[in-house]
Each structure stands twice: as structure tokens, then as C-alpha cells.
Amino acid sequence: MEWRGRRQSDNVEDRRGASMGGSMGRGGFRIPVGGGGRRGGGIGIGGIVLILIVCWIAGINPLTLLSGGDINLGGSGYEQQAGSQAPANDDTTAFMRTILAETEDTWNGIFEANGQRYQEPTLVLFSGQVSSACGFASSATGPFYCPGDRKVYLDTAFFQELEQRFNAAGDFAEAYVVAHEVGHHVQNLLGILPRFNQARQRMSETEANQMSVRVELQADCFAGVWGKFTEQKGILERGDLEEALNAAQQIGDDTLQKRSQGYVVPESFNHGTSAQRMRWFKRGFDSGDMKACDTFSGDV
């Protein structure tokens, strides 16, 4: 992906180096994988990731997606020391600012074409733990979107885990992660997340999981729509699309469960299978039309 030299967004908060305790979160929408560090370095938290995945598979679901559901992450005991903050102009920051700017360009254009105004989200970069309007979260939560403050949260140590533990390397794979969370922001602006949040209060856990799959797959599709607009700019390189599709495959519910315990529990799925995530990202990418991303009608 030819991202260098392009516009960078100003809607980025760099909280790396902040120190805090506790890890109670509320209401985030997230990719179900954990931390690590590719461009900017970081610490390994693979053990925490595996514990969370096991809890999630067992139906405990500590990574509940919507406000109204408490997320108890237990506490990692990790505090980032002051003075270890990455420089504001490091490669990771430049990449994140550029990808966020590309999503801004895409969604500003789409919303304007539909007679609406796009309200740009803020991307928060953090290390270890972070406080949001959805509560506290640790690195093990993975990237997430908080509807309460309309911000995307990303531990900059995330991508090494994505590459090393989940075999999903590549800059466009990383860009897909950001675009997916921005997709949740689009859902929030369209009123989809608030309606879902209200409806899930009357649902059983299984029903809520089934509906959250549809929410997540739509965010994947919206990420694909962004990918199409990015391709049209001529900045994608050979193999970029395959990187994103591989990332979608590696973080499917069934693939994660098979990796951790050797079998799957479909009623616990809340993000979608690998095949579903790949299919909906590709649908958005092929069409470039958010109207093609209706995951709430018919089968997914």
C-alpha cells in the first residue's frame, strides 16, 4: 500500500506513555484479537489474549460489544511508564494518521453524496491500558470503537500480535482493522448501533450474539467499501486485497475457536465466521456501495 506522502489526519490523540490502573470497559465494538507491536515495538501479551479468547468461547463473553454490557477484563497489572512514550512523528503514528485520513476522505464523500454530513471520529493511540467513555480497557481488548465518545482506540502494540500469532501480516491488513472500527462509527452516525443497543436489552444472549454478528459483518462490509475507494485512488499494491481477506479469515469466530480449543460453539459467535467476514468485506470492496452492506435482511 503506497501510503507515504499522503495527507495525514489531525483527529488523532496520542496517549502512549500514560499510566493508569484497572481495566473495566463498557460498550466497545472491537476486533477480537490482542496486542503486540509491529512498527512501534511493544510488549507481548499473548497469554492474556488466549485467556480472553477462552472466556469468550466459553460464553462468558468479556468483550461484550454494546453499551449497557459490562466488560470485566480482570486487570493486566501493566502500567506503561512515563518517559517511554513513542515520538509523535514515528512510523506508526504517520501510518495511522494516513489511514484515518483516507477513511475521512471516503466517508465525507459518501455522506455528502447522500445529502448528509460526516462527523469524523478521533483515533486514540495508547499503550497498555486506556480510559474511554466506555470505561477502562487493556491492550488485550484489541482495537475498539466507543460510541459514547465517538472514538476508535488502538494499542500501537497490536499489529505484531496480528502478524505473529494470527498470521495476518501486511499494511493493508492493518488498515482493514482501522477501517472496520471506523465502520462502527459510520453505523453509529446512521443510528444502527443505538437501535441495536435498545433491541438487545430484550434479547437472550444467543439472540444478541446473532445480531452482533450482523453488526460486525456490516462493519467489515463498510471497511470493504473504503477499500474500493482506496483502490480507485491507485494506492493499493499487488497482494493488498489478499492481506485484508487473510486478516478477516484469521479472526473469524470459528477459526479462533478451532485454534484455541479444537472445536467450535456456533451459538457463541458474535463477530462472524471466517467465510462470512471475508465474504462481506469482499462484497463492500467489489461494490464500493454501502447499500450493498445490508446484513440485517436475510441470511448472512
Side-chain angles (χ1 to χ4, degrees):
M1 184 177 182
E2 299 178 357
W3 62 271
R4 296 183 186 276
R6 302 188 64 80
R7 183 180 77 83
Q8 296 184 11
S9 174
D10 293 326
N11 296 318
V12 175
E13 294 179 16
D14 194 343
R15 300 187 192 174
R16 290 173 291 177
S19 178
M20 67 178 62
S23 55
M24 173 69 74
R26 178 183 293 273
F29 291 76
R30 33 100 46 205
I31 294 275
V33 290
R38 181 184 176 190
R39 288 185 174 81
I43 63 171
I45 57 173
I48 299 175
V49 174
L50 290 179
I51 291 172
L52 289 174
I53 290 175
V54 169
C55 290
W56 168 45
I57 291 168
I60 299 172
N61 194 14
L63 303 176
T64 303
L65 301 177
L66 298 163
S67 56
D70 288 338
I71 305 172
N72 190 349
L73 298 176
S76 66
Y78 169 72
E79 292 188 357
Q80 181 76 9
Q81 297 299 314
S84 62
Q85 180 170 340
N89 61 345
D90 69 349
D91 213 30
T92 298
T93 306
F95 179 71
M96 291 292 100
R97 288 184 181 275
T98 302
I99 297 305
L100 186 62
E102 293 296 329
T103 68
E104 292 168 351
D105 292 347
T106 294
W107 292 110
N108 272 310
I110 291 175
F111 272 59
E112 183 178 353
N114 286 276
Q116 299 174 310
R117 185 176 70 86
Y118 180 62
Q119 301 173 44
E120 297 172 353
T122 296
L123 173 62
V124 178
L125 305 178
F126 72 95
S127 296
Q129 296 179 347
V130 71
S131 175
S132 74
C134 295
F136 291 102
S138 75
S139 301
T141 306
F144 67 95
Y145 172 70
C146 178
D149 55 20
R150 296 184 173 184
K151 294 181 179 182
V152 171
Y153 291 83
L154 174 69
D155 187 333
T156 55
F158 167 75
F159 294 120
Q160 182 176 341
E161 196 74 18
L162 187 67
E163 176 179 349
Q164 294 183 355
R165 183 173 295 277
F166 297 97
N167 300 314
D171 52 10
F172 199 62
E174 298 172 4
Y176 153 68
V177 171
V178 177
H180 172 95
E181 299 304 335
V182 171
H184 284 312
H185 176 65
V186 173
Q187 291 174 316
N188 196 33
L189 295 181
L190 296 176
I192 295 169
L193 297 191
R195 289 196 297 272
F196 178 27
N197 186 46
Q198 293 177 356
R200 73 182 294 271
Q201 304 303 320
R202 303 183 296 272
M203 296 177 180
S204 67
E205 182 178 355
T206 298
E207 291 172 333
N209 283 341
Q210 291 172 346
M211 187 60 67
S212 71
V213 166
R214 294 177 182 271
V215 171
E216 294 296 331
L217 293 179
Q218 186 177 63
D220 280 335
C221 188
F222 284 168
V225 170
W226 166 78
K228 182 64 174 182
F229 279 78
T230 305
E231 180 193 45
Q232 291 174 343
K233 292 180 179 180
I235 63 176
L236 294 193
E237 299 174 305
R238 183 187 298 272
D240 279 345
L241 175 59
E242 288 73 20
E243 288 178 1
L245 291 174
N246 177 58
Q249 179 181 28
Q250 296 300 327
I251 59 178
D253 287 329
D254 54 340
T255 298
L256 289 174
Q257 291 187 1
K258 287 177 182 177
R259 180 184 289 121
S260 64
Q261 67 181 17
Y263 60 92
V264 301
V265 184
E267 59 268 24
S268 70
F269 292 174
N270 54 24
H271 281 71
T273 66
S274 294
Q276 288 173 323
R277 302 199 70 167
M278 294 173 66
R279 181 167 64 250
W280 281 99
F281 178 87
K282 191 64 162 51
R283 180 175 297 188
F285 188 90
D286 288 342
S287 67
D289 186 356
M290 63 186 302
K291 295 179 182 178
C293 297
D294 181 7
T295 58
F296 298 97
S297 299
D299 296 333
V300 292

